[in-house]
Amino acid sequence: MDPTKILMDAGRILKINNSFFTTRSKPEDIKLKTDDGQVINCFIPAVLYIGQASCRNGFIGSTKEEQASVYQWLEYCLLKSQSPSNEILKELNAFLQDKVYFVGNKFTIVDLIMYLSLQEIYSKMTFQDKELYSNLSRWFRLVQNDACLQKLYPKICFAKTKLYS
């Protein structure tokens, strides 16, 4: 996961034109320059700024609890998806067992950032691999069908029926 690329893609998807610059590809070295000249340092504050600047209502959480959950998931994404493994995919799959989205009952900035973080991994998975993570695959398929995401990345195919047992 390249945090700068994820932020740039998130900005493009949400039609937010800001400039990103970094001295290295470390999340703490990311700087976002806003339209009014303000500089925001680090990955999570930059993501939260992009979420606030989007025209989506409640995109960074509608309640204090949801906002805390958004922050927690962004931290998780930053820490765990530096080197995604099968264990992380299993954790995410288990979490989504009885949920539609990561925070609350609607699409938030967390879903967008997680999608962007997992997009490359999912694009290389076989149908059989995707079936191992049925809940995560269900969520991924739902999120990729968001109209704004279809312009940036090609759709990833999923089997409609279970192929393996």
Side-chain angles (χ1 to χ4, degrees), residues 1-3 6 27 43-44 47 69-84 88 91-92 102 109-118 139:
M1 168 185 115
D2 177 12
I6 288 173
F43 180 77
I44 293 176
V47 170
S69 188
V70 163
Y71 192 90
Q72 191 173 19
W73 275 112
L74 290 175
E75 213 169 79
Y76 178 93
C77 184
L78 187 61
L79 296 173
K80 298 275 186 157
S81 50
Q82 292 294 331
S83 55
I88 292 170
E91 279 180 23
L92 296 174
F102 279 97
I109 191 74
V110 172
D111 296 294
L112 177 59
I113 298 299
M114 284 289 202
Y115 171 82
L116 294 172
S117 299
L118 295 171
W139 167 84

Side-chain angles (χ1 to χ4, degrees), residues 56-59 61 66 69-70 73 91-115 135-149:
R56 293 181 180 222
N57 189 23
F59 203 49
E66 284 182 0
S69 188
V70 163
W73 275 112
E91 279 180 23
L92 296 174
N93 188 59
F95 178 80
L96 289 168
Q97 183 174 355
D98 59 349
K99 294 172 181 57
V100 177
Y101 296 107
F102 279 97
V103 178
N105 294 319
K106 62 183 173 211
F107 184 74
T108 63
I109 191 74
V110 172
D111 296 294
L112 177 59
I113 298 299
M114 284 289 202
Y115 171 82
N135 301 314
L136 186 59
S137 292
R138 171 187 42 79
W139 167 84
F140 193 92
R141 195 171 45 244
L142 173 70
V143 171
Q144 84 169 351
N145 284 320
D146 190 294
C148 65
L149 295 176

